[in-house]
Structure formats: structure tokens, C-alpha cells
């Protein structure tokens, strides 16, 4: 993937380059961190297949191994990122995938980003996605 396409992806994901606002939640005790494992390895494998078939023509895997995507969404909910991807990707036909496929692709992106898997698949409903907070890994001492 060339640099211009990468910049376009980051711009789309970050709402035209602006850092997304932090999520507002009145009940943070119900929140789960993405660092606690919010997807399964099996789900990431399904997402890899969808990514290779739909996303791979425009997006290189290396761009998701960089911390910039997760850092840009730090403090937001997974629902915010899910909805951004669902409504804007693929660029030539946004929203064409089923919600399950978008969740699978997002699980794969989380895996590529080095986020840990868990025992429960990333959900597809908005309420459950809002209860998962995106957090970046703490810097090594």
C-alpha cells in the first residue's frame, strides 16, 4: 500500500484528521477494555478471509501493525470505530458487508495491532460494542 492510501485510511478513521473525541459514558463500571480480549482468534481468522477478499486490494497489512490506528481511537468505544468502518468501507461500496463480517474484520485488525484475543467474539450490536473501550497498551518502562 502506498503512503497516500495509508494517509487516506487514517484520515477516514480519524474523521478527516481530527482526533476523535473521548467516549462519554455514565457507567464506566460496565465498560470492558479492548486490552482484556474482546475478540476470539477464530473470529480474527474469519476477518482475515474477508480482509483478503474485500479490503486487501486497498489496505496493506503493515499499516495495521502500527500503533497509530489504536492510538487515534484511544478512549473511544469499539462501536465508534466499528460504525466508522461500517459506514465508510469499502470505499467503493460502504456498508456492503454484513455486521458480522465487519466485526470479524475489526477483530483481525485488532489482532494485527497486537491486541490480545479473548474467549468471547466481538459483538455486532451497538449496545455491546459501546461497552468496550479502546485503549492503547501502556508504554514499556
Amino acid at each position: 500500500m502506498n503512503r497516500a492510501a495509508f494517509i487516506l485510511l487514517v484520515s477516514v478513521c480519524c474523521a478527516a484528521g481530527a482526533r476523535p473525541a473521548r467516549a462519554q459514558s455514565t457507567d464506566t463500571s460496565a465498560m470492558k477494555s479492548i486490552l482484556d480480549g474482546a475478540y476470539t482468534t477464530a473470529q480474527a481468522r474469519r476477518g482475515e478471509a474477508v480482509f483478503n477478499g474485500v479490503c486487501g486490494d486497498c489496505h496493506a497489512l503493515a499499516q495495521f501493525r502500527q500503533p497509530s490506528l489504536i492510538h487515534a481511537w484511544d478512549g473511544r468505544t469499539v462501536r465508534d470505530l466499528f460504525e466508522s468502518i461500517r459506514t465508510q468501507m469499502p470505499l467503493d461500496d460502504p456498508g456492503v458487508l454484513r455486521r458480522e463480517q465487519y466485526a470479524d474484520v475489526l477483530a483481525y485488525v485488532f489482532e494485527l495491532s497486537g491486541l490480545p484475543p479473548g474467549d468471547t467474539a466481538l459483538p455486532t450490536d451497538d449496545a455491546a460494542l459501546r461497552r468496550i473501550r479502546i485503549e492503547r497498551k501502556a508504554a514499556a518502562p
Side-chain angles (χ1 to χ4, degrees):
M1 167 175 230
N2 65 33
R3 183 168 172 75
F6 175 72
I7 291 170
L8 174 63
L9 174 70
V10 171
S11 295
V12 167
C13 288
C14 296
R19 188 178 191 289
R22 289 194 164 266
Q24 301 294 319
S25 175
T26 56
D27 182 12
T28 56
S29 65
M31 296 292 284
K32 175 181 179 178
S33 169
I34 193 71
L35 298 175
D36 296 332
Y39 69 93
T40 64
T41 302
Q43 186 177 34
R45 293 293 63 76
R46 292 191 307 269
E48 181 178 19
V50 174
F51 185 96
N52 289 336
V54 177
C55 314
D57 289 343
C58 297
H59 302 291
L61 296 178
Q63 73 188 83
F64 299 107
R65 292 186 176 115
Q66 304 294 324
S68 58
L69 178 67
I70 298 305
H71 287 195
W73 290 87
D74 185 30
R76 301 281 306 265
T77 68
V78 171
R79 192 268 182 191
D80 296 330
L81 179 54
F82 178 92
E83 201 55 22
S84 179
I85 293 168
R86 189 186 69 77
T87 61
Q88 298 178 46
M89 296 292 159
L91 285 175
D92 61 347
D93 196 8
V96 69
L97 301 175
R98 294 184 326 273
R99 289 182 73 87
E100 293 80 10
Q101 291 174 300
Y102 282 108
D104 293 348
V105 168
L106 192 50
Y108 182 52
V109 167
F110 288 156
E111 180 183 72
L112 290 171
S113 298
L115 296 169
D119 297 329
T120 305
L122 190 65
T124 59
D125 66 284
D126 288 339
L129 290 168
R130 280 189 183 100
R131 290 190 297 270
I132 307 169
R133 183 180 56 253
I134 298 172
E135 295 180 308
R136 57 184 164 172
K137 293 180 183 178

